[in-house]
Amino acid sequence: MRVTFSSNGKLRDLMGAACIGMEVPPETRVVDVLENVAKRYGADARALILGERSGVLVLVNDEMIEQSTIAVSHGDEITVLLPIAGG
Amino acid sequence: MSAVAAEAPPHVTEEELAWVDWQLMIPGFGLEKQYKLKGSTALVSRVGGVGSPAAASLAMAGIGRLILAHGGHVEPFHMNRWPLASTDQIGRVNPAVSATERIRKLNPHVEVVVVPEFVTAENVRRLVAQADIVVDGAPYFEERHLLNRECVQQKKPMVEAAATGMEGFVTVVIPGETPCIQCLGFHSKDWSLPFPILGAVSGTVANLAALEAIKVLTGYGEPLRGTLLFLDGASSSFRRIKVRRNPACPVCGDRPSASIGRKETARKCE
């Protein structure tokens, strides 16, 4: 099945696009998608997505999720929103 | 106009109503809402790229009282996004003083309380207690979480607004009803100044923040309760993100921690 992944800020810069598509097997979980992106875009991306130095908002179809172990469905958009504090 | 003035509370003059005459024509935003706004106080934490346009919009809309908190001085690098600061104030005038001078010219009917210091663990309780709503435009996560915790404790609504680069967001925290900032989990140990920012982006976020504050204070429309509005300035697109309370949140959850955030002290830099 096909899902998309989007982000903002530095992670979007690392990805070179606001949104990417990816094929994933059935029963893929949100955390698997995050691992996939972290693996694809390297250590800096991994630190941004899964590191403990920052807290990110993980969304599925623009809804905040509490557990990244939930399964994704065909057509889902998974988003990692990096924190913003500028004023 | 005299018939209108006869219905007004004593503290709202005909001259004041003339200032906002055109917004009173908005369906549903009549004198009742205007009086609520006039009777309200907003604490604006930092009058920078987000806080100063937000404060200006609140003043022009006829809010009764603004508390403007910001330490330091106006600097050259502020000038791409601080519309209330002026060139002759660089290096010598405090931003809260600077913003107050300008706001008094925009709308002399607004009472402005100048707090020439940043929000800290020492002053946050006192400042939040004086306000009906907080508009948070601080550039540090520590300061944002400090305000968040205090607003939750005092059950005061807070408009959370931030901008970096070409992006920004706005959301409304209603303690006991919506997620607080701690629920969202936003923090970063790697965040530092300077950060990239375009004034048109922070100004857009700022005016959305002012709009949310006006809605919360007056009861007009539908504030961003449980919704985070995310702006991507590069594509001129908005996303409405549904956010949820975390029952285990140490700030607003079912069993909040009494100590969390107590030791947080906002950094004293700009």
Side-chain angles (χ1 to χ4, degrees):
Chain A
M1 62 184 173
R2 190 163 182 81
V3 299
T4 57
F5 177 86
S6 62
S7 191
N8 66 312
K10 288 180 182 175
L11 185 54
R12 183 174 63 182
D13 295 343
L14 288 170
M15 290 161 51
C19 186
I20 58 168
M22 64 178 75
E23 289 292 333
V24 295
E27 299 181 14
T28 294
R29 302 165 303 166
V30 170
V31 68
D32 300 322
V33 174
L34 303 187
E35 278 287 353
N36 187 325
V37 174
K39 193 176 295 181
R40 190 185 300 192
Y41 295 102
D44 287 348
R46 178 173 294 281
L48 290 169
I49 301 169
L50 300 164
E52 294 182 353
R53 294 189 61 77
S54 63
V56 300
L57 206 53
V58 181
L59 318 171
V60 175
N61 301 328
D62 283 345
E63 285 196 24
M64 174 183 172
I65 61 166
E66 287 143 27
Q67 300 291 334
S68 58
T69 51
I70 65 168
V72 298
S73 302
H74 177 75
D76 278 351
E77 179 178 5
I78 294 88
T79 303
V80 166
L81 206 59
L82 303 183
I84 293 174
Chain B
M1 205 62 177
S2 56
V4 166
E7 299 170 8
H11 61 285
V12 182
T13 64
E14 282 193 44
E15 184 182 82
E16 286 184 73
L17 291 176
W19 245 252
V20 295
D21 199 29
W22 286 27
Q23 76 194 34
L24 295 177
M25 293 190 286
I26 298 169
F29 196 98
L31 283 171
E32 182 198 350
K33 307 296 187 201
Q34 194 63 47
Y35 295 157
K36 284 183 178 175
L37 196 56
K38 176 65 182 177
S40 299
T41 298
L43 165 64
V44 181
S45 171
R46 303 221 184 190
V47 282
V50 169
S52 67
S57 286
L58 289 169
M60 289 188 290
I63 195 166
R65 189 163 168 259
L66 284 170
I67 303 168
L68 308 180
H70 200 133
H73 294 91
V74 174
E75 302 288 353
F77 55 83
H78 295 147
M79 299 305 288
N80 77 324
R81 64 195 185 283
W82 290 25
L84 299 182
S86 59
T87 304
D88 63 330
Q89 297 171 329
I90 291 173
R92 63 179 194 84
V93 177
N94 169 265
V97 173
S98 161
T100 299
E101 287 178 8
R102 180 72 185 127
I103 281 173
R104 285 181 175 148
K105 290 178 180 174
L106 286 171
N107 188 345
H109 309 107
V110 179
E111 181 188 349
V112 187
V113 178
V114 183
V115 182
E117 56 193 52
F118 299 118
V119 171
T120 65
E122 287 71 39
N123 66 18
V124 66
R125 184 169 297 171
R126 174 174 53 84
L127 292 174
V128 171
Q130 297 173 58
D132 299 302
I133 195 167
V134 172
V135 177
D136 181 16
Y140 290 111
F141 289 101
E142 295 93 332
E143 196 170 320
R144 289 177 177 271
H145 283 279
L146 188 67
L147 274 169
N148 176 65
R149 178 180 54 77
E150 195 60 38
C151 284
V152 169
Q153 287 192 345
Q154 295 193 28
K155 296 183 171 50
K156 299 282 179 77
M158 179 170 83
V159 180
E160 178 73 4
T164 302
M166 298 295 283
E167 302 171 338
F169 76 87
V170 182
T171 191
V172 173
V173 176
I174 308 284
E177 181 183 334
T178 72
C180 75
I181 303 311
Q182 185 74 34
C183 293
L184 304 184
F186 272 169
H187 70 85
S188 176
K189 292 175 182 170
D190 298 320
W191 175 261
S192 62
L193 270 57
F195 56 88
I197 185 66
L198 184 69
V201 174
S202 54
T204 300
V205 168
N207 278 291
L208 288 167
L211 175 60
E212 292 308 307
I214 290 167
K215 288 192 292 184
V216 171
L217 290 171
T218 63
Y220 180 86
E222 298 175 6
L224 290 167
R225 289 189 176 94
T227 301
L228 184 148
L229 188 66
F230 184 85
L231 164 68
D232 178 358
S235 61
S236 295
S237 60
F238 286 95
R239 293 172 74 168
R240 289 179 65 90
I241 294 164
K242 188 174 180 181
V243 290
R244 291 191 177 87
R245 285 187 74 192
N246 174 8
C249 175
V251 173
C252 75
D254 299 335
R255 298 175 65 185
S257 162
S259 61
I260 188 159
R262 288 287 184 201
K263 293 179 182 175
E264 288 175 347
T265 302
R267 284 174 274 190
K268 303 279 194 304
C269 48
E270 297 168 71

